[in-house]
Amino acid sequence: MATDLKQRAREAFDAVEQDLRDLSRWMYENPEIAYEEREASRRLVELLAGHGFEVEYPAFGLETAFAARAGSGGPEVVICAELDALPGVGHACGHNIIATSSAGAGIALAGMADELGIRVTVLGTPAEEAGGGKVDLINAGAFEGAAASMMVHPVPTPEEVVDPSALAIIDLMVEFRGKDAHASASPWEGRNALDAFVQLYVNVSTFRQQMRPSDKMHGIVTKGGDAPNIIPSYTASKWYVRAATKARLDELVERFRTMAEAAAASTACQVTFTRISNEFQHLTHEPTMVELYAANSEALGRPLRRQSDADKLSAGSTDMGNVSNVVPSIHPYVGMATDGAVNHQPEFAAHTITPDGEKALRDAALSMAWTVIDLAVDERWGDLQQPNA
């Protein structure tokens, strides 16, 4: 039965594959940044509505979010379609492939949802790169009652893995305030906020030798002063703090705050901290879904390796981590032979619309759809491990 259903899913995908390729190319040529994905979300909604989905748009209080639903009852699977591009380098994280492969998986399943006894939701999720739209959607109830969630992320081929790590992260604005003075005639009248930033930077650099391999702190100065002959009374900097788990992140953030407060005290400045966007949690993978997805990907001629210790140490971060901590989830990586280009480079974005990128779109969509079919046909819902259980 599963074999026949998978063939039907393949045929449903085949019928819409060119439309998905065209949409992926359009997104590449017309990148929209976080919370501004108006045209991309509209085009995805139109495509899904034309293939049997009932669409809520906008959804859950976010202008560019949508929920496209098929099936009248049973366990709900939420397939996440990321929408946003990066400033300056466009779809250099491959969200055009993510969005279209998720839509393709949904379309492959929509016509058989009632037969499978499931509900399929393709959820348009804004602002993964800046803000954390999935956290907003979690808080708005988008994942309540869902049995499972998934998405697939493109990466350079050597990084292709079925169960990648992603670190918990918080991003902070750190502001130091001191006192202006003439930098040559009377510097002793001032309190140098730039010195405070420099001291924090040195504190962090010094602390790195005590960090665990998966601990990360990195920052930039965004305001360093106004003129060389004025003691800076104000500086601002943006920082990311990352760790392997939420518990470890909390420890690191407290240590970071202590270092910033010490920098302020040593320069007689004041320091304030502001969280810039939603905090991302670490990514967890549901074991049954991992095994099913790996088998389906291999059946398509794309065998996937499991994560290594090195993967765990060099990971980035994603708001899919938050989803994986409330719903059984997977977030496999699908590889592209990018000739050395890595995520967040324009060359990576350009590769998403090559035949290799289009094959990644296809393999990701079918692997997700077939994994859902296996869950439903074999009634594996009860086997899924609940997060934090």
Side-chain angles (χ1 to χ4, degrees), residues 224-308:
D226 296 308
N229 63 346
I230 304 172
I231 295 291
S233 63
Y234 173 80
T235 59
S237 54
K238 292 183 178 180
W239 290 85
Y240 287 174
V241 182
R242 306 184 200 239
T245 66
K246 174 65 166 65
R248 177 59 178 169
L249 180 65
D250 291 343
E251 294 174 5
L252 278 185
V253 169
E254 186 59 33
R255 184 66 178 266
F256 177 80
R257 291 176 65 93
T258 299
M259 289 188 286
E261 289 164 353
S266 68
T267 55
C269 293
Q270 288 77 46
V271 61
T272 56
F273 305 90
T274 305
R275 194 173 74 183
I276 299 171
S277 62
N278 290 311
E279 181 178 317
F280 291 5
Q281 296 183 28
H282 62 281
L283 183 64
T284 65
H285 290 270
E286 200 291 314
T288 297
M289 294 170 66
V290 165
E291 296 300 331
L292 292 175
Y293 184 95
N296 285 309
S297 183
E298 185 167 6
L300 288 165
R302 187 183 288 269
L304 299 176
R305 65 181 179 88
R306 302 296 294 265
Q307 68 174 354
S308 65

Side-chain angles (χ1 to χ4, degrees), residues 76 100-101 136 201 205 222 228 240 242 271 340 345 367 385:
E76 180 189 19
T100 51
S101 65
D136 298 330
Y201 199 90
S205 296
T222 58
Y240 287 174
R242 306 184 200 239
V271 61
Q345 291 181 335
S367 295
Q385 294 182 11

Side-chain angles (χ1 to χ4, degrees), residues 44 68-69 109 127 134 156 160 165-166 192 273 282 297 299 313 317 335 357-358:
L44 281 159
R69 302 181 176 97
L109 292 166
K134 294 185 194 66
E160 190 171 53
S165 293
N192 196 319
F273 305 90
H282 62 281
S297 183
L313 302 183
S317 304
E358 292 173 344

Side-chain angles (χ1 to χ4, degrees), residues 85-313:
L86 288 154
V89 292
H91 276 291
C93 211
H95 291 194
N96 52 328
I97 287 180
I98 295 172
T100 51
S101 65
S102 292
I107 291 169
L109 292 166
M112 62 181 72
D114 285 332
E115 185 177 349
L116 290 169
I118 62 171
R119 292 171 292 145
V120 178
T121 298
V122 179
L123 185 67
T125 63
E128 189 274 338
E129 296 291 354
K134 294 185 194 66
V135 183
D136 298 330
L137 290 166
I138 290 169
N139 293 337
F143 294 89
E144 285 185 10
S149 184
M150 62 181 65
M151 58 168 281
V152 178
H153 199 298
V155 294
T157 297
E159 299 176 20
E160 190 171 53
V161 61
V162 67
D163 56 345
S165 293
L167 303 175
I169 185 174
I170 189 170
D171 52 349
L172 297 168
M173 173 75 77
V174 180
E175 298 169 287
F176 291 104
R177 290 175 171 82
K179 183 180 180 182
D180 293 320
H182 195 293
S184 180
S186 54
W188 52 85
E189 296 292 343
R191 297 192 302 276
N192 196 319
L194 183 58
D195 281 348
F197 164 78
V198 170
Q199 187 60 58
L200 170 58
Y201 199 90
V202 170
N203 288 347
V204 169
S205 296
T206 303
F207 178 56
R208 285 198 177 100
Q209 63 184 315
Q210 272 77 51
M211 286 184 184
R212 299 174 186 175
S214 55
D215 294 343
K216 318 284 183 181
M217 291 184 187
H218 37 107
I220 60 168
V221 62
T222 58
K223 173 71 173 179
D226 296 308
N229 63 346
I230 304 172
I231 295 291
S233 63
Y234 173 80
T235 59
S237 54
K238 292 183 178 180
W239 290 85
Y240 287 174
V241 182
R242 306 184 200 239
T245 66
K246 174 65 166 65
R248 177 59 178 169
L249 180 65
D250 291 343
E251 294 174 5
L252 278 185
V253 169
E254 186 59 33
R255 184 66 178 266
F256 177 80
R257 291 176 65 93
T258 299
M259 289 188 286
E261 289 164 353
S266 68
T267 55
C269 293
Q270 288 77 46
V271 61
T272 56
F273 305 90
T274 305
R275 194 173 74 183
I276 299 171
S277 62
N278 290 311
E279 181 178 317
F280 291 5
Q281 296 183 28
H282 62 281
L283 183 64
T284 65
H285 290 270
E286 200 291 314
T288 297
M289 294 170 66
V290 165
E291 296 300 331
L292 292 175
Y293 184 95
N296 285 309
S297 183
E298 185 167 6
L300 288 165
R302 187 183 288 269
L304 299 176
R305 65 181 179 88
R306 302 296 294 265
Q307 68 174 354
S308 65
D309 290 340
D311 296 324
K312 298 176 184 178
L313 302 183

